[in-house]
Structure formats: structure tokens, C-alpha cells
């Protein structure tokens, strides 16, 4: 059977699900290829806290609010970030406060599964959006217009635009033969949650250490979520520790800033890499989210970049003349051009910072700490950095 839509989104993670919803709300005929597990609407259960958490920018929270998704997340499980504190490895310090910039918050900390469940609930309440659950794509023909995607269920779908939102190992990107520039950091992001004896004060804290970048992000109540981006051998050593020993190690590495730590969840490690698709678009095709780019988590911007891809693509499609196809190449190039600078600055900025702090060379150690001190005393630079983080 041959079915037809305007846009076919492959991948129902946070980025793909939000894109499919936004386009359906816009009145486009959309289908979403996603696993049933991803689209389960189950709510998170206390007292467990998901180790995968995101610092969602105010701009993206507003976008999710407009989709009816943000209000579906239990507010008691969301934490505003009022300030960020960053330490170098030689007592250098850099701080950002929302209030100083006339903002209410710099970011919102939210659990991955809570956000995914909220998206799933909104999708379930949007009958105009066709969900192709548990079908895997097997072939994609972009030489035809509209493009044709065949699923392992035997179904065949034609679409003016196929969007790859299927993550870092994107099948769509490969099927479209879009080359990928990739650099494996040889690091894992070790994530775990802790109860703390002190108040976190809604501050997101980050330490650039000789063994990597340690971040403690505030969760509601006296809890924090850790992301320790560190070389694989050290990451494996952390993952092998007992919960008590891990809590002690993190407490020591964070200089006791948030008091005594107690493990709330087992630690999990995620491999880290820098990836960039050589093109975000082809005729009849676009990439969004990790399918298009993967960045170091030190800036907490991965999924934020993905949501900003979605906002741009949705805006470009909405602004097209009525008879122009969603898959029109010059139209899609407009999306790719608009996303270039944001993606490049987050990807390469994070990469440069990571490299600068990973080196043990004394000259560079001095440069990086001087650099942090300099930025601390440059209000215009701080404002510029903050604008990027909150978008
Ligand atoms: C340790 C760590 C901490 C991070 N912290 C932050 C943070 O604080 N803030 C932030 O903004 N970002 C953060 N990130 C980055 C963030 O996790 C990613 O950028 C984000 O999850 C990407 O979302 P996505 O929807 O593009 O891809 P994914 O989450 O990878 O989703 C892709 C979806 O596509 C599906 N899929 C894959 N292949 C197929 C196929 N062939 N057919 C159909 N479906 C398919 C998958 O099942 C999945 O559901 C962090 C990353 C790491 C590793």
C-alpha cells in the first residue's frame, strides 16, 4: 500500500517528536516513525529520578510550552537554574546570574523521561499526527519526487520531505549518503543523581578539572544531577565504585560545595563524540538534532541545538508560498544556512574549551585560567555568552 504525507519524520526522540507535533499543529500532513517504547506516556515514579536530565533553555521551554508539552511535565520535578558557577583548575572562577541579566532563569532542569512522556501524551492527543510505531525504515529513494520510504512492515510512504531525527547513528543520514565529520572524544559522560546535605541555591556548578569536566546540576529539593565528562579509563573506574565510594569521590571533586552526597541512582556512562553532518539538507531531506550534530555536553546544549533546529525548520516551512513543496531544495537550504552559526559556535566552542582544559601543558593551563578570569570581568562577553545559552 502506498501512503502519502507532506513530511515524514524518522525518530521519535525529544527532537523528532517535537518536530512532528509542531508541524501537525501547523496543519501539515505528518507521519512519525518511532518506537512504541519511546512514545509510552508513563509518568516518572517517585522516588526514582532519571539520571538523564537536560538543562533546557528558556527559549526552548517556551517553544515546548507553545506545543502544549511543557505544561504536561510535573512542575514539582522541574528545577529553575538561577545562576551558573564555573571553576577552572587554578582557582579561576566565572559566574552567571539570571537576575543580573534581567532574566528569571538561565535554564530549566528536567528529566529526559518526563519530557519524553509529556511529548508522547501530547502526540496521543493530536489525532492529525500519524504515528508509525515500531516500524523500521528499510529503503529510502530520494531520486523520486516525492521521496519514497519503505518500512519493514511492507508499507510504503511517499513524502515531500523526509526528516532524519534518528540520533547520532542516523539511518536516514546514511541512506541519503550525507558524509559525517566525527571525532571520538575517548571520554564517557558519567551521569548519576545524589541527595545533598547543603542547599544548592538553584546554582548549576561546573569544575574544569585535570580529569575532565564535572557538572552538578540542581534538581528539585536537596538533590543534584551529575555529568562527569572524563577519559574512558577514569569513567570506568567511577562506574565500578560502590554508590558510597562514588558519592565520596564526587563530594571530594566538588570540594564539598554542596555538602555530603548520598547516591540516589546507579551511575551510567555515555560515549562522547563531536559529530557534524557535512550537510543538513538534500533535495527532499533534512536532518535535525543529533542526526545532524553531536556536541560535547559541557555546555549542556545538545538537545537545545536540536530544538532550535526544529524551531527554524518549522518557521521556514511555515513561511513558504502555498504551492511550494516542503522538500524544495532552495527552501531547505534556507534552513541549513540559518542553522550554520549556532551549530558551529556551540560545537567548536565546546570542543575548544574541552581541549584547552584537557591539556596539561603549563602555558595553556595559565592561558585557560586567565581566560576565565578575563571573561568574568567582561560584562559584554558574559551577556553574549548568556544570550547563546538562553535561546
Ligand atoms: C552525558 C550527556 C549529557 C547531556 N546533557 C545535556 C544537557 O544537559 N542539555 C542538552 O541540551 N543536551 C544534553 N545532552 C545531549 C542530548 O542528550 C542529545 O543532544 C539529545 O538527546 C538528542 O536528541 P535527538 O532526539 O536528536 O536524538 P536521540 O535522543 O538519539 O533520539 C533519536 C530517536 O530516534 C530513534 N531511532 C534511531 N534510529 C531509528 C530508525 N532507524 N528508525 C526509527 N527510529 C530510530 C531512537 O530510538 C530515538 O528514539 C547530553 C548528552 C550526553 C551524552
Amino acid at each position: 500500500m502506498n501512503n502519502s504525507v507532506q513530511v515524514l519524520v524518522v525518530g521519535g526522540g525529544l527532537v523528532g517528536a517535537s518536530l512532528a507535533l509542531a508541524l501537525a499543529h501547523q496543519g501539515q500532513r505528518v507521519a512519525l516513525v518511532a518506537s512504541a517504547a519511546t512514545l509510552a506516556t508513563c509518568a516518572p515514579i517517585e522516588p526514582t529520578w532519571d539520571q538523564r536530565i537536560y538543562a533546557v533553555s528558556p527559549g526552548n521551554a517556551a517553544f515546548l510550552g507553545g506545543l502544549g508539552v511543557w505544561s504536561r511535565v510535573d512542575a514539582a520535578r522541574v528545577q529553575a537554574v538561577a545562576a551558573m558557577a564555573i571553576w577552572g583548575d587554578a582557582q579561576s572562577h566565572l559566574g552567571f546570574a539570571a537576575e543580573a541579566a534581567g532574566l528569571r532563569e538561565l535554564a530549566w532542569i528536567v528529566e529526559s523521561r518526563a519530557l519524553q512522556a509529556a511529548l508522547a501524551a501530547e502526540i496521543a492527543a493530536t489525532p492529525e499526527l500519524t504515528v508509525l510505531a515500531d516500524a523500521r525504515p528499510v529503503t529510502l529513494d530520494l531520486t523520486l519526487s516525492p521521496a519514497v520510504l519503505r518500512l519493514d512492515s511492507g508499507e510504503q510512504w511517499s513524502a515531500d520531505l523526509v526528516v532524519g531525527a534518528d540520533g547520532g547513528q542516523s539511518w536516514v543520514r546514511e541512506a541519503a549518503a550525507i558524509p559525517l565529520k566525527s571525532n571520538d572524544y575517548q571520554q564517557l559522560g558519567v551521569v548519576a543523581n545524589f541527595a545533598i546535605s547543603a542547599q544548592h541555591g538553584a546554582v548549576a556548578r561546573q569544575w574544569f578539572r585535570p580529569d575532565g569536566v564535572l557538572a552538578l546540576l540542581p534538581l528539585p529539593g536537596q538533590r543534584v544531577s551529575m555529568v562527569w565528562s572524563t577519559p574512558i579509563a577514569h569513567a570506568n573506574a567511577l562506574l565500578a565504585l560502590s554508590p558510597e565510594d562514588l558519592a565520596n569521590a564526587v563530594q571530594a571533586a566538588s570540594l564539598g560545595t554542596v555538602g555530603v552526597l548520598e547516591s540516589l541512582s546507579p551511575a551510567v556512562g555515555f560515549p562522547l563524540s563531536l559529530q557534524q553532518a557535512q550537510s543538513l539538507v538534500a533535495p527532499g531531506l533534512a536532518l535535525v538534532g543529533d542526526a545532524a550534530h553531536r556536541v560535547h555536553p559541557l555546555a549542556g546544549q545538545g538537545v537545545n541545538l536540536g530544538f532550535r533546529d526544529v524551531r527554524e525548520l518549522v518557521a521556514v516551512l511555515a513561511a513558504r508560498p502555498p504551492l511550494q513543496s516542503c522538500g524544495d531544495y532552495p527552501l531547505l537550504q534556507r534552513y541549513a544556512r540559518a542553522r550554520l552559526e549556532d551549530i558551529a559556535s556551540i560545537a567548536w566552542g565546546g570542543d575548544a574549551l574541552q581541549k584547552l582544559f584537557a591539556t596539561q601543558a603549563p602555558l595553556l593551563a595559565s592561558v585557560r585560567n586567565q581566560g576565565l578570569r578575563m571573561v568574568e570581568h567582561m560584562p559584554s562577553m558574559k551577556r553574549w555568552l548568556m544570550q547563546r545559552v538562553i535561546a
Side-chain angles (χ1 to χ4, degrees):
M1 185 169 59
N2 201 354
N3 309 279
S4 145
V5 281
Q6 285 170 294
V7 186
L8 186 63
V9 181
V10 180
L14 300 178
V15 174
S18 69
L19 174 65
L21 259 181
L23 293 174
H25 286 190
Q26 224 181 50
Q28 315 265 4
R29 282 179 295 110
V30 194
L32 172 67
V33 182
S35 73
T38 315
L39 295 176
T41 53
C42 60
I45 304 161
E46 276 275 29
T48 322
W49 287 75
D50 190 356
Q51 301 101 318
R52 281 315 298 267
I53 62 101
Y54 297 105
V56 175
S57 70
N60 284 328
F63 159 68
L64 293 167
L67 291 183
V69 169
W70 196 250
S71 58
R72 291 182 180 272
V73 179
D74 179 358
R77 299 184 74 98
V78 179
Q79 171 69 49
V81 177
M84 289 181 195
I86 301 166
W87 289 271
D89 51 358
Q91 280 84 51
S92 54
H93 175 257
L94 175 60
F96 297 94
E99 203 180 7
L103 299 166
R104 276 191 317 166
E105 66 280 315
L106 295 176
W108 295 99
I109 306 295
V110 58
E111 294 161 286
S112 177
R113 70 177 177 206
L115 202 47
Q116 191 80 58
L119 279 158
E122 185 57 30
I123 286 174
T126 308
E128 312 82 274
L129 171 56
T130 303
V131 176
L132 306 168
D134 279 339
R136 304 292 286 185
V138 286
T139 58
L140 173 62
D141 193 340
L142 289 167
T143 60
L144 300 171
S145 183
V148 175
L149 185 85
R150 206 161 53 78
L151 299 170
D152 58 1
S153 58
E155 271 182 280
Q156 200 159 282
W157 283 79
S158 62
D160 296 332
L161 173 63
V162 174
V163 182
D166 49 348
Q169 319 254 318
S170 173
W171 177 89
V172 172
R173 187 184 63 224
E174 276 193 18
I178 294 181
L180 182 72
K181 205 166 154 193
S182 177
N183 176 28
D184 186 339
Y185 282 120
Q186 301 289 320
Q187 294 180 356
L188 300 185
V190 178
V191 298
N193 296 332
F194 300 94
I196 53 174
S197 66
Q199 303 288 336
H200 53 56
V203 179
R205 297 176 170 84
Q206 197 166 44
W207 291 263
F208 284 89
R209 298 167 41 83
D211 57 12
V213 186
L214 169 65
L216 291 183
L217 305 173
L219 287 173
Q222 282 180 251
R223 304 180 184 91
V224 289
S225 185
M226 172 189 82
V227 183
W228 196 337
S229 308
T230 189
I232 291 171
H234 183 234
N236 284 334
L238 291 173
L239 291 167
L241 292 176
S242 68
E244 294 76 25
D245 288 345
L246 179 65
N248 289 338
V250 177
Q251 190 177 315
S254 56
L255 312 172
T257 316
V258 288
V260 178
L261 270 64
E262 189 191 325
S263 284
L264 288 177
S265 64
V268 185
F270 294 91
L272 304 182
S273 61
L274 178 69
Q275 289 188 357
Q276 194 155 358
Q278 292 304 280
S279 175
L280 293 195
V281 296
L285 181 121
L287 300 175
V288 291
D290 275 22
H293 40 68
R294 261 185 147 169
V295 297
H296 196 280
L298 68 83
Q301 285 294 304
V303 82
N304 283 299
L305 275 182
F307 286 139
R308 291 202 286 271
D309 293 344
V310 168
R311 285 157 62 189
E312 186 63 43
L313 185 57
V314 167
V316 165
L317 294 181
R320 77 187 193 283
L323 293 180
Q324 191 173 21
S325 157
C326 294
D328 183 71
Y329 190 41
L331 181 78
L332 296 175
Q333 282 175 312
R334 209 171 302 154
Y335 154 71
R337 274 195 301 275
R339 294 301 299 136
L340 214 59
E341 200 246 322
D342 185 24
I343 295 169
S345 60
I346 298 288
W348 306 120
D351 188 53
L353 260 182
Q354 191 280 134
K355 286 199 175 101
L356 196 57
F357 278 91
T359 177
Q360 303 303 319
L363 184 63
L364 283 176
S366 155
V367 167
R368 67 198 178 206
N369 286 291
Q370 295 289 359
L372 271 193
R373 285 190 197 100
M374 259 171 61
V375 175
E376 174 66 5
H377 294 105
M378 290 169 71
S380 56
M381 178 66 137
K382 281 173 86 169
R383 257 197 310 278
W384 181 83
L385 285 170
M386 230 176 322
Q387 290 310 325
R388 304 212 81 84
V389 172
I390 62 165

